[in-house]
């Protein structure tokens, strides 16, 4: 079984400030973890993924995510937010070879 | 070049009708998917298909059926449309190695409105 939770429906941050979008997961094995971004009226775009190795994963557009096995978390981070980062962010988890399960999404709003 | 393309982008129809949404990918991927995104943006897997296996989410009504004429296409056919079928439907593809889960490449979505 695999599941993922995004505890925040919405995250608000001022431009230039660091941002964090939270994700926790539950799988009965070693997880594959993903972050995707969805801009209005668009499909989801892949940002980054963790399979194994370094717990800090770097992805597109300056985003990174930190895998924490003890807390079963995979939070998305960015040191300095841009207004253009405003979008819907999805965390996803899968066991190897299985179809990813997506979280409910977190709306990120970056204020000028 | 559009990697995963869906048509139509918008579809408005009456209850009880039958409709299809087409999806094509030019990435050479082996596996294609259909996801449904509801009004609260929740994304739910409907089908996964490669040239060997169809995986159906058991919660999907049998009014929904995937049809794959070849590896690059996975169309979604819906019979007897209901109001609750109104949603955005996303096609996606991936190229996982055995035992791997690769990243998904999504189409732009097809917004279905049932009146």
């Amino acid at each position: 079984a695999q599941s993922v939770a995004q505890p925040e429906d919405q995250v608000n941050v001022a431009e230039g400030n660091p941002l964090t979008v939270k994700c926790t997961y539950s799988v009965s094995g070693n997880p594959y973890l993903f972050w995707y971004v969805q801009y209005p009226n668009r499909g989801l775009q892949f940002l980054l993924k963790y399979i194994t190795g370094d717990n800090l994963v770097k992805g597109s557009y300056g985003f990174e995510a930190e895998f924490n096995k003890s807390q079963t978390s995979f939070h998305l981070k960015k040191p300095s937010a841009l207004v253009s980062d405003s979008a819907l962010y999805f965390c996803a988890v899968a066991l190897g070879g299985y179809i990813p399960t997506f979280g409910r999404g977190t709306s990120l709003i970056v204020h000028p | 070049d559009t990697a995963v393309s869906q048509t139509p982008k918008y579809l408005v129809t009456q209850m009880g009708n039958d409709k299809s949404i087409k999806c094509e990918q030019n990435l050479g991927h082996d596996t294609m998917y259909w996801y449904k995104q509801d009004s609260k943006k929740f994304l739910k897997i409907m089908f996964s298909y490669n040239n060997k296996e169809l995986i159906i989410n058991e919660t999907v009504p049998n009014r929904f059926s995937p049809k794959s004429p070849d590896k690059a296409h996975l169309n979604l056919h819906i019979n007897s449309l209901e109001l609750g079928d109104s949603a955005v439907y996303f096609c996606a593809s991936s190229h996982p190695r055995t035992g791997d889960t690769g990243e998904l490449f999504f189409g732009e979505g097809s917004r279905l409105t049932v009146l």
Side-chain angles (χ1 to χ4, degrees), chain A residues 4-73:
Chain A
V4 61
Q6 294 181 240
E8 303 154 316
D9 288 337
Q10 185 171 302
V11 170
N12 291 278
V13 64
E15 188 174 30
N17 283 359
L19 69 88
T20 299
V21 182
K22 295 180 180 178
C23 172
T24 59
Y25 66 89
S26 175
V27 293
S28 51
N30 293 320
Y32 288 63
L33 293 157
F34 305 83
W35 276 102
Y36 290 82
V37 59
Q38 184 180 26
Y39 297 101
N41 300 312
R42 304 293 299 276
L44 279 71
Q45 297 177 34
F46 169 77
L47 279 178
L48 53 80
K49 78 175 180 181
Y50 171 85
I51 299 176
T52 185
D54 194 345
N55 289 342
L56 186 64
V57 179
K58 295 187 182 297
S60 306
Y61 311 121
F63 284 94
E64 57 189 28
E66 185 169 12
F67 171 66
N68 187 317
K69 187 173 183 177
S70 63
Q71 297 185 5
T72 62
S73 67

Side-chain angles (χ1 to χ4, degrees), chain B residues 12-95:
Chain B
V12 181
T13 188
Q14 300 288 328
M15 283 176 55
N17 284 351
D18 301 339
K19 291 293 178 185
S20 292
I21 304 172
K22 296 183 177 181
C23 179
E24 175 183 4
Q25 55 96 3
N26 62 5
L27 298 167
H29 287 169
D30 290 329
T31 305
M32 297 183 71
Y33 310 80
W34 277 105
Y35 280 86
K36 178 181 179 180
Q37 187 173 46
D38 62 23
S39 59
K40 296 183 178 181
K41 306 297 184 182
F42 184 54
L43 205 62
K44 180 180 174 181
I45 182 70
M46 300 179 71
F47 305 101
S48 167
Y49 186 81
N50 62 23
N51 57 6
K52 301 174 184 176
E53 186 178 16
L54 170 66
I55 300 174
I56 302 173
N57 185 328
E58 62 274 11
T59 66
V60 174
N62 58 14
R63 298 181 294 103
F64 291 78
S65 57
K67 299 185 189 300
S68 181
D70 55 58
K71 194 175 84 166
H73 297 82
L74 184 64
N75 303 326
L76 180 65
H77 190 76
I78 315 169
N79 290 328
S80 303
L81 279 158
E82 300 177 357
L83 293 176
D85 297 334
S86 295
V88 181
Y89 292 85
F90 285 100
C91 177
S93 71
S94 70
H95 188 62

